[in-house]
Amino acid sequence: MAFTKCRMGHVYDDSKFSECPFCKSAEEEENMVNLDSEETAALESTVPDYETLPQGDPPIQKRVMSDETIPDQTVPDKILAKDEEGAVIAQKRATVKKRIEGFLVTYSHNPYGDHYPLYLGKNSIGRNTNNDIVINDMAMSGDHAIILFRGNKTFIEDKLSVNGTFINDGEESIDRATLKDNDIIKMGKTVFKIKIIGEAPGKEN
């Protein structure tokens, strides 16, 4: 058995090894370390920096609205009546923050009756869809009339309609008139009865 010392000072049996086994192991270990470092660097390059990652959805901003901040706007049209063929007869565009002052009731298009709330201020009536009360009556004008609640009085004004607006048994179309509870109003082929609430418990005049 013959022993040899390598240049690094390792003693090994040169009858079994042609070169120092200790140096070879150290070299392989160093190569493995270098390989691990390269793989780690490559892996880290595919992971985005934490600061660039999305931090989830932004928080929902809740807007608390008081009575003073609620906008005075109309809600989507609501279909209130249809004829036998399914055509829309009338629809009401309710306005928020407006007090109900009365109702229009008609049996002209529905034997069971239709009713439409009337609000403080102006209530426009006609065939056009921009009216507060839309009636599918071809004998009515697009913008037929306005019913106005102001103070303790109720008025109706014809908007230069083609076929006119008639009150109770009147034979002549009115331009402007004062309404009272249970008055009969005729527009085109539609006949309404108006119900005015007046004083009511909890209602501020």
Side-chain angles (χ1 to χ4, degrees), residues 25-40:
S25 298
E27 184 179 354
E28 290 177 351
E29 183 177 353
E30 184 179 357
N31 291 337
M32 289 295 294
V33 171
N34 292 336
L35 181 60
D36 290 342
S37 299
E38 292 175 359
E39 291 179 348
T40 301

Side-chain angles (χ1 to χ4, degrees), residues 60-204:
I60 297 175
Q61 299 294 328
K62 293 185 177 180
R63 182 181 179 187
V64 179
M65 302 183 72
S66 63
D67 290 341
E68 289 76 16
T69 61
I70 296 177
D72 186 9
Q73 60 185 12
T74 57
V75 298
D77 293 348
K78 179 180 179 182
I79 296 175
L80 296 182
K82 293 185 178 181
D83 60 18
E84 295 179 355
E85 297 179 355
V88 176
I89 293 176
Q91 55 190 4
K92 182 74 176 77
R93 299 177 65 190
T95 305
V96 298
K97 292 186 64 179
K98 280 195 175 183
R99 187 177 62 205
I100 294 177
E101 295 289 343
F103 293 88
L104 285 179
V105 181
T106 179
Y107 294 87
S108 297
H109 306 286
N110 180 0
Y112 295 99
D114 297 309
H115 67 281
Y116 312 101
L118 298 170
Y119 296 89
L120 181 65
K122 292 182 179 181
N123 299 264
S124 58
I125 307 169
R127 288 200 332 271
N128 292 339
T129 57
N130 62 335
N131 286 293
D132 296 308
I133 299 176
V134 181
I135 307 295
N136 189 17
D137 180 348
M138 296 306 297
M140 289 180 63
S141 295
D143 299 306
H144 196 101
I146 287 177
I147 294 178
L148 172 66
F149 288 86
R150 178 184 293 165
N152 295 323
K153 294 185 178 181
T154 306
F155 305 95
I156 185 168
E157 179 179 326
D158 185 83
K159 300 296 290 182
L160 300 177
S161 64
V162 174
N163 292 322
T165 299
F166 301 85
I167 306 299
N168 296 323
D169 296 327
E171 296 181 356
E172 293 186 5
S173 174
I174 58 94
D175 292 326
R176 183 182 176 94
T178 301
L179 293 173
K180 61 182 183 298
D181 189 39
N182 292 326
D183 273 347
I184 303 299
I185 306 168
K186 183 179 179 182
M187 304 180 196
K189 294 182 179 180
T190 305
V191 179
F192 299 99
K193 186 173 187 177
I194 187 170
K195 297 297 298 180
I196 300 174
I197 294 174
E199 295 183 0
K203 178 183 175 185
E204 298 179 0

